[in-house]
Amino acid sequence: MSASVDRDHIALSESFQLVIRVEGSMRAEEPDLAPLERNFEVLAATAIPVSRSRTGRSESATTWQISLMARHAGELTIPAIEVGGERTQPIAIRVSEDPPPASAAAREVQLQVETDAAEVHVQQQLLLTVRLLHAVNLNRGATLEAPEIPDAVVRELGEDSYEKLVDGRRYGVFERRYAVFPQKSGELVVPALGFHGRGGRRRWLVRPVRWPRKMLRLRSEEKRIRVLPPRPARSPGCRRACSR
């Protein structure tokens, strides 16, 4: 039994492949992936049985392809993985923090969250817009988290798709809008929202080009909104008096 990785130096936002190969069996037991959970997120695991004949002898093996993403940066170790009572050797990898982009247009996928005000009253509507810009095609299965905001009522208003030029670069844009109604005064925190998906080839290429399907994981920044007490209700008489 052997284990290997396709890369031993990766960025925090990138996925990589752990390959476990069990010789002599096309029906090897499933590997115990629980030890990975501490430092890695298991995105997918696929078994590939192989049988072939070489120089009059038949050979069989099972290869497990396991897609992983590190939970944090640093010098990490893929621990020994047990398969049918045997264990692989640990593998050391280096995970780097993602470098900041030189400009907004330098990133192929961006996640933006905007509000239409920095201050509202209790029960007053706050418009929240979540916008995903992508210069690469996104494969099916991509997920964009919906906001869950304590002490507020959140209602989805709708979504749109369109294109946008940013510093001369064309992006596809997926936009989703929410109405947020704070229920008490104080500070309203819109938590960081996450996007998880896999990117395909670059968009708007004249000739199709195979592009690495890199796993993408983004998080937006928190938004903090000041919520004032409810506006005092004015009686009809007051309105008439004030309008004179």
Side-chain angles (χ1 to χ4, degrees):
M1 186 167 62
S2 62
S4 61
V5 292
D6 59 346
R7 290 170 297 152
D8 58 8
H9 184 193
I10 57 172
L12 184 58
S13 63
E14 296 176 343
S15 63
F16 65 100
Q17 294 285 331
L18 168 64
V19 179
I20 298 176
R21 183 175 175 85
V22 181
E23 300 285 350
S25 174
M26 290 183 60
R27 296 183 179 180
E29 294 183 21
E30 292 187 5
D32 179 11
L33 303 182
L36 293 168
E37 293 291 341
R38 179 178 179 182
N39 292 318
F40 303 94
E41 180 181 355
V42 179
L43 304 176
T46 305
I48 305 174
V50 177
S51 179
R52 63 189 174 207
S53 179
R54 180 180 294 178
T55 63
R57 295 183 305 170
S58 61
E59 299 179 357
S60 60
T62 298
T63 298
W64 288 86
Q65 293 183 347
I66 304 162
S67 181
L68 301 174
M69 184 172 281
R71 296 186 184 276
H72 55 86
E75 302 290 335
L76 304 182
T77 299
I78 297 174
I81 304 298
E82 182 175 342
V83 182
E86 295 187 42
R87 289 177 174 269
T88 62
Q89 293 294 320
I91 302 174
I93 65 169
R94 183 155 54 110
V95 182
S96 303
E97 296 281 0
D98 294 311
S103 66
R107 299 187 64 171
E108 294 183 329
V109 181
Q110 302 173 42
L111 181 58
Q112 301 174 352
V113 176
E114 295 180 356
T115 57
D116 66 341
E119 181 179 279
V120 293
H121 290 267
V122 171
Q123 298 289 349
Q124 181 184 350
Q125 176 180 297
L126 175 73
L127 181 62
L128 174 67
T129 302
V130 182
R131 193 176 294 117
L132 182 72
L133 292 81
H134 54 101
V136 294
N137 289 322
L138 300 176
N139 295 346
R140 291 182 179 179
T143 58
L144 179 61
E145 290 180 2
E148 296 183 2
I149 306 174
D151 301 316
V153 175
V154 181
R155 296 175 182 168
E156 185 176 331
L157 298 178
E159 56 189 41
D160 288 307
S161 296
Y162 55 93
E163 295 180 5
K164 181 178 181 179
L165 283 175
V166 180
D167 294 343
R169 188 174 187 183
R170 186 181 299 176
Y171 285 82
V173 182
F174 174 76
E175 183 177 283
R176 187 176 287 161
R177 297 173 300 281
Y178 299 88
V180 180
F181 300 91
Q183 300 300 295
K184 71 174 187 178
S185 59
E187 186 177 58
L188 181 75
V189 179
V190 179
L193 303 180
F195 167 77
H196 186 276
R198 192 179 292 273
R201 69 179 180 87
R202 287 181 175 174
R203 297 166 59 88
W204 302 290
L205 291 177
V206 177
R207 297 175 58 190
V209 176
R210 292 183 64 84
W211 195 254
R213 294 185 175 184
K214 183 172 68 173
M215 185 61 67
L216 303 167
R217 184 171 58 184
L218 305 176
R219 292 200 72 79
S220 66
E221 295 183 354
E222 273 188 356
K223 293 286 184 181
R224 295 180 177 269
I225 308 298
R226 184 184 179 194
V227 181
L228 303 176
R231 287 194 176 103
R234 292 186 296 179
S235 65
C238 177
R239 291 197 192 97
R240 287 194 296 271
C242 294
S243 64
R244 292 176 182 172

